[in-house]
């Protein structure tokens, strides 16, 4: 039975599954890392107690998320070889060194200072500890830099030639790293990580507000998160718009799929708000459209000409409904985030930011929105790149390992079982940390070392353990 | 041509270093997982696991450098070896998931402590065994056709590879025991001295067995070791092992604290060189050489610049981090 499944499809599902789990943790680590650095910095500057108590609360979430990011990431770095060996052979000379730099400049840096950040409070001077936090936060951003360079090169390959063995060989490293889509993707992704984190922190604050906890910790986290929403969500709209215009230039078929445009030439194309893209029929059914707006957004001219999917051969189309709908989920959530930010500014101005249960409840609902939008965005990007792994050059079907379906299927099942169990528990622990009353939990005296020369990591990070 | 061959050699050396660093560093981490079930109390178990909590992530990063470096420097080898070792590698990755999350998860809920301690222990056993199996399967040779792996899914499973899997469990346990000798005191340290002795004997026995077995795996291997004049050049290798082993047992008997770990690391180094002698210049044994697999110069050179600058920096700050956590691990109260 297993033999009848297509190994390419199985390998794709396996990759999508493992990376979708992975990306959630690094995104949270990128956002929380910077947040923690800011908190600790504010504490050093103002010496206000609640900043360091917030730090101690969120550093535990960070440790959990980071640990899960590490173990799920190691899986990925080997998955290129196990499931995508032809891809690895061909693109290794180009994206291998990028990932090599990621290890050398980011992973070692984070790992080297994480121990100090988590367990070193009583072992290094205050400023050294702060430096460790900043370095870890910086390392997470450096990691995003390199891996997004690699991914963007697959979207918009540049600076390479091919050799007799069919390998991509680098000709210009600058062009490879700063390939056409990279700057846009880097900005958009880092903003996405910050937004996703901000909405989780905001939802945590809202949860406690709704329980009548109005202490400085709760207010500070809620307020900081809402400032992020108010400032970063509109920036993300601008970044996303620019990203889309750039994609139109380099991957026009992907944009056609996002828009649900099939007709080869469309003058004054509408903006399709909703509908069902039917690839068989080659049209978007039941569509609700705004005339000419599509052309206006993408060409800045209401009568501008857009190319639809029929400009390209059928076998080069991505799975249109996935791209189309993921795009709408992302943009829709982005707009709701902007609305949240605006509402928070209004309430803040009226002095009712912490006293509006309806708004707090709304923020609680929006808690996961950042992560949903982030995943939806990656689905747009990655499914829109199909049927290629290296856009326009190397087909997905020609990238896969010579491994039979049963092996891929069994490993897929194993990944699903283990990830759901382990990361399911991890996410549950995270939620548990977040819903514990922070003021009460951190009221316990700060952890003390029992011995002068002993490592006491347990007490250091786990000092204020929530009781079950 | 000469530059190209040089870079391929340079990169073999770098990857060799990364893998050795991984084996010793994560070796003692995994070894502590292997020894954890033999802790006599919850406090002891806590001390053992605490001793590596601040450093395991850095240690495991060498594995990422090994994998990522292989893809960058020898993409052809990466693309043949990983499918060939599919099952053991997936098992290793999943086991490392359990091992890695346990550090944090153990303390997130009092009633889940036991579960994740077991995750930590089993993860350590399975990951170690899988690495040993992968090593054995690598040494015994891999079927290749064109630019791809041409064997079946279970080619890796032979008596030899299963034996190397078990042998590595003993090896990592020995590293773990010697690390704990350095980092602990009192009853726990005493017991580690006592564990180290039989583990040391087992590891030496395994080294002898593997050395005796390897030449029979493939005539090319016995030719490499036993033909004249190779045998003259290579005879120091076993002699070195014997000398270091003697040093190891003496350091144990003398109650030295740091020397046993150093000696075991040296035993690993010499055995590792022995494997390298069996394999080199092939990177996929007896099928693909380092020169055939090497990425073009521009890839190797580009990453080499960063490696040459950054690896020393990494070693410095990693050393700093170990220094911050120097000294004996406190038994410390746990929370119940
Ligand atoms: C450096 C490489 C890289 C990076 C950073 C990402 N991906 Fe990717 N992705 C791939 C490299 C890749 C790939 C190896 O090239 C895959 C495997 C099969 C394929 O067609 O492309 C892929 C496929 C793939 C698919 C399946 C698409 C399909 O088959 O229709 C999904 C849903 C994702 N990825 C999702 C993600 C997410 C959520 C990411 C967030 C981090 C992400 N990818 C980053
Ligand atoms: C296929 C793609 C990817 C691979 C192969 C990969 C690989 C890895 C590996 C091996 C680790 C663990 C490093 C360690 O040992 O410390 C890791 C962690 C991490 N990755 Fe990924 N990764 C991928 C995608 C991404 C993306 C798209 C991002 C962000 C934009 C990202 C950001 C991070 C960060 C910040 C960490 C640090 C750990 C953490 O913060 O949780 N990764 N990744
Ligand atoms: C508000 C309006 C938004 C617009 C117009 C927009 C636009 C886009 C476009 C066009 C892409 C695909 C780029 C390509 O594949 O070439 C994309 C991808 C993506 N989006 Fe958005 N986006 C918006 C909001 C958001 C929000 C709120 C988030 C998350 C919090 C988000 C996260 C992502 C991510 C993670 C990707 C994939 C990585 C990338 O290609 O940058 N986006 N976005």
């Amino acid at each position: 039975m297993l033999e009848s499944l297509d190994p390419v499809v199985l390998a794709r599902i396996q990759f999508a599954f493992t990376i979708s789990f992975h990306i959630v943790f690094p995104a949270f680590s990128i956002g929380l890392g910077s947040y923690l650095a800011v908190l600790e910095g504010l504490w050093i500057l103002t010496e206000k107690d609640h900043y360091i108590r917030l730090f101690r609360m969120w550093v535990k979430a960070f440790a959990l998320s980071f640990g899960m990011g590490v173990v799920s990431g190691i899986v990925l770095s080997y998955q290129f070889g196990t499931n995508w060996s032809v891809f690895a052979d061909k693109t290794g000379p180009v994206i291998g060194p990028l990932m090599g730099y990621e290890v050398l400049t980011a992973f070692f840096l984070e790992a080297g200072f994480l121990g100090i950040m988590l367990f070193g409070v009583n072992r290094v001077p205050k400023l050294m500890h702060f430096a460790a936090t900043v370095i870890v936060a910086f390392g997470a951003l450096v990691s995003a830099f390199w891996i997004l360079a690699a991914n963007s090169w697959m979207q918009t390959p540049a600076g390479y030639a091919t050799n007799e063995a069919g390998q991509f060989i680098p000709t210009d490293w600058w062009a490879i790293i700063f390939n056409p889509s990279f700057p846009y993707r880097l900005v958009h992704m880092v903003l996405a990580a910050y937004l996703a984190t901000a909405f989780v922190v905001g939802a945590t604050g809202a949860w406690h507000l709704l329980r009548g906890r109005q202490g400085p910790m709760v207010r500070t986290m809620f307020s900081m998160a809402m400032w992020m929403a108010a400032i970063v969500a509109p920036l993300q709209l601008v970044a996303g718009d620019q990203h889309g215009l750039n994609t139109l230039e380099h991957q026009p078929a992907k944009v056609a799929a996002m828009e649900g445009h099939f007709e080869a030439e469309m003058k004054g194309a509408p903006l399709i708000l909703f509908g069902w893209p039917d690839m068989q029929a080659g049209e978007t059914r039941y569509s609700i459209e705004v005339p000419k707006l599509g052309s206006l957004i993408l060409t800045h001219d209401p009568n501008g000409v857009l190319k639809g999917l029929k400009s390209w051969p059928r076998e080069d189309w991505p799975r249109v409904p996935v791209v189309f709908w993921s795009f709408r989920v992302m943009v829709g959530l982005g707009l709701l985030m902007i609305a949240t930010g605006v509402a928070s500014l209004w309430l803040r101005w009226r002095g009712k930011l912490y006293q509006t249960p309806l708004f707090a409840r709304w923020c609680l609902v929006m808690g996961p929105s950042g992560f949903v939008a982030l995943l939806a965005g990656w689905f747009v990007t990655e499914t829109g790149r199909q049927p290629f792994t290296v856009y326009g050059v190397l087909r997905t079907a020609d990238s896969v390992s010579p491994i039979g379906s049963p092996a891929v299927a069994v490993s897929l099942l194993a990944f699903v079982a283990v990830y759901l169990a382990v990361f399911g528990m991890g996410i549950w622990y995270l939620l548990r940390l977040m819903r514990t009353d922070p003021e009460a939990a951190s009221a316990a005296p700060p952890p003390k070392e029992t011995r002068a020369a002993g490592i006491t990591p347990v007490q250091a990070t786990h000092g204020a353990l929530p009781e079950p | 041509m000469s530059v190209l061959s040089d870079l391929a050699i340079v990169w073999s050396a770098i990857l060799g270093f990364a893998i050795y660093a991984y084996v010793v560093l994560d070796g003692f981490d995994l070894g502590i997982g292997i020894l954890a079930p033999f802790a006599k109390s919850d406090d002891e178990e806590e001390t053992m696991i605490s001793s590596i909590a601040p450093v395991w992530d850095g240690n495991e990063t060498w594995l990422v450098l090994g994998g990522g470096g292989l893809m960058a420097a020898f993409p052809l080898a990466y693309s043949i070896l990983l499918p060939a070792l599919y099952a053991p590698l997936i098992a290793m990755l999943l086991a490392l998931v359990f091992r890695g999350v346990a550090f944090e998860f153990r303390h997130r809920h009092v009633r889940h402590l036991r579960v994740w301690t077991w995750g930590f222990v089993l993860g350590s056993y399975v990951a170690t065994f899988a690495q040993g199996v992968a090593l054995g399967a690598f040494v015994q040779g891999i079927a290749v056709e064109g630019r791809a792996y041409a064997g079946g899914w279970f080619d890796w499973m032979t008596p030899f590879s299963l034996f190397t899997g078990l042998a590595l469990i003993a090896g990592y346990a020995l590293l773990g025991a010697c690390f704990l000798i350095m980092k602990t005191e009192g009853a726990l340290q005493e017991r580690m001295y006592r564990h180290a002795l039989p583990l040391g004997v087992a590891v030496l026995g395994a080294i002898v067995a593997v050395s005796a077995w390897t030449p029979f795996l493939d005539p090319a291997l016995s030719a490499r070791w036993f033909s004249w004049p190779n045998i003259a050049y290579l005879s120091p290798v076993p002699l070195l092992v014997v000398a270091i082993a003697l040093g190891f047992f003496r350091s144990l008997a003398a109650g030295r604290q740091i020397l046993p770990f150093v000696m075991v690391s040296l035993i690993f180094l010499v055995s590792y060189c022995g494997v390298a002698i069996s394999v080199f210049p092939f990177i996929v044994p007896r099928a693909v050489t380092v020169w055939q697999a090497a990425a073009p110069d521009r890839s190797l050179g580009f990453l080499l610049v960063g490696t040459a600058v950054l690896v020393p920096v990494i070693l410095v700050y990693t050393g700093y981090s170990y220094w911050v956590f120097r000294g004996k691990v406190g038994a410390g109260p746990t929370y119940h």
Side-chain angles (χ1 to χ4, degrees), chain A residues 74 77 83 93 101 123 429, chain B residues 60 78 86 112 299 302 324 328:
Chain A
I74 292 176
S77 59
N83 285 348
Y101 269 102
R123 299 189 148 252
Y429 293 137
Chain B
E60 197 168 278
Y78 179 87
Y86 197 81
H112 296 184
S299 305
F302 175 65
V324 166
K328 300 288 182 186

Side-chain angles (χ1 to χ4, degrees), chain B residues 82-122:
Chain B
L82 272 64
L85 303 173
Y86 197 81
L89 286 180
I90 303 269
M92 173 191 84
L93 294 169
L94 290 171
L96 289 176
V97 168
F98 282 97
R99 194 282 294 255
V101 298
F103 290 100
E104 283 303 318
F105 284 15
R106 283 176 72 249
H107 293 292
R108 293 279 71 106
H109 195 303
V110 199
R111 263 177 287 150
H112 296 184
L113 184 90
R114 286 262 76 82
V115 176
W116 294 114
T117 303
W118 276 107
F120 177 73
V121 168
L122 289 180

Side-chain angles (χ1 to χ4, degrees), chain A residues 375-419:
Chain A
L375 283 173
W378 275 109
F379 275 73
V380 176
T381 297
E382 299 287 300
T383 309
R385 191 192 59 216
Q386 302 299 326
F388 300 98
T389 46
V390 180
Y391 192 68
V393 199
L394 179 62
R395 283 185 179 270
T396 308
D398 304 330
S399 305
V400 75
S401 295
I403 296 275
S405 298
V408 188
V410 169
S411 61
L412 173 60
L413 289 178
F415 277 116
V416 171
V418 169
Y419 277 31

Side-chain angles (χ1 to χ4, degrees), chain A residues 101-245:
Chain A
Y101 269 102
E102 185 185 14
V103 181
L104 294 169
T105 58
F107 292 159
F108 273 114
L109 196 67
E110 292 173 271
F113 289 91
L114 181 75
I116 298 176
M117 176 183 175
L118 297 183
F119 305 128
V121 198
N122 300 318
R123 299 189 148 252
V124 294
K126 217 173 171 184
L127 277 181
M128 184 60 221
H129 188 268
F130 178 55
T133 309
V134 171
I135 290 172
V136 171
F138 174 72
L141 289 168
V142 175
S143 162
F145 177 93
W146 290 109
I147 196 70
L148 290 175
N151 179 270
S152 298
W153 182 83
M154 291 159 55
Q155 306 282 347
T156 49
Y160 68 95
T162 39
N163 68 8
E164 334 64 83
Q167 287 177 309
F168 296 94
I169 53 174
T171 54
D172 178 351
W173 280 106
W174 186 266
I176 288 172
I177 296 172
F178 294 97
N179 62 75
S181 65
F182 172 60
Y184 299 92
R185 185 161 289 108
L186 179 64
V187 171
H188 198 55
M189 176 62 202
V190 171
L191 293 182
Y194 283 169
L195 271 179
T197 309
F199 274 85
V200 169
V201 174
T204 309
W207 165 270
H208 295 297
L209 286 176
L210 285 169
R211 262 147 207 76
R213 296 172 188 148
Q214 291 274 352
M217 283 175 80
V218 171
R219 285 189 174 209
T220 304
M221 73 172 112
F222 191 65
S223 167
M224 288 173 87
M226 287 304 122
W227 278 122
M228 284 299 283
I231 298 166
V232 178
L235 286 179
Q236 182 70 316
L237 177 72
V238 177
D241 177 52
Q242 294 301 310
H243 198 356
L245 293 179

